[in-house]
Amino acid sequence: MNTHQSDSAVQRDAERAIIDALAAQLGVVLVGGGALSLSGGVRIQLDARSEDGKFAVEAYARQGTLKGGQLKKIAQDVLKLALLRREPNHADVRPIIVFASEEARSSITGWVKRAADVFGVELHVVDIAPELREEILATQEAQKMVNVELPTAADDLTIE
């Protein structure tokens, strides 16, 4: 199968291993999250949840420190999980964002960390197989090489 070098299929596939590790740690069964309907006609997408609805999970395979857009995604997921907890049918849900890297989890600071604390969104870290970690790191490195900054038109100007 041909994939673009910046494709995140490895990270998406690793999310299942991360979710399974969290499930083992918590002693629960977590299934694919799918979409949940909330009041006001809105829907949210989860990476995983327990069948009884007591756990709602977002998983991140990123190894190392999170950067700009990745931090924004975490902030969005904190808000999404906080909204879920405000729903009458989901008030008792245990919202969790799970990472496979302590560095990634430790990147959550400032107002995003405070929001997670205030809204009861738990930030967990699980261990994954070293081979999977290496595969994720190799993919991240390939993505970094693909996503290099291109010169702007002004950079191409030569003054003589």
Side-chain angles (χ1 to χ4, degrees), residues 70-80 97 111-112:
Q70 297 158 341
L71 289 166
K72 182 178 178 184
K73 175 71 168 99
I74 299 295
Q76 291 170 333
D77 283 340
V78 167
L79 180 59
K80 173 175 58 176
I97 298 176
W111 73 265
V112 177

Side-chain angles (χ1 to χ4, degrees), residues 3-15 61 139 143:
T3 60
H4 188 277
Q5 275 185 304
S6 65
D7 181 64
S8 60
V10 170
Q11 287 97 325
R12 285 192 309 272
D13 292 344
E15 287 178 2
T139 299
Q143 289 169 339

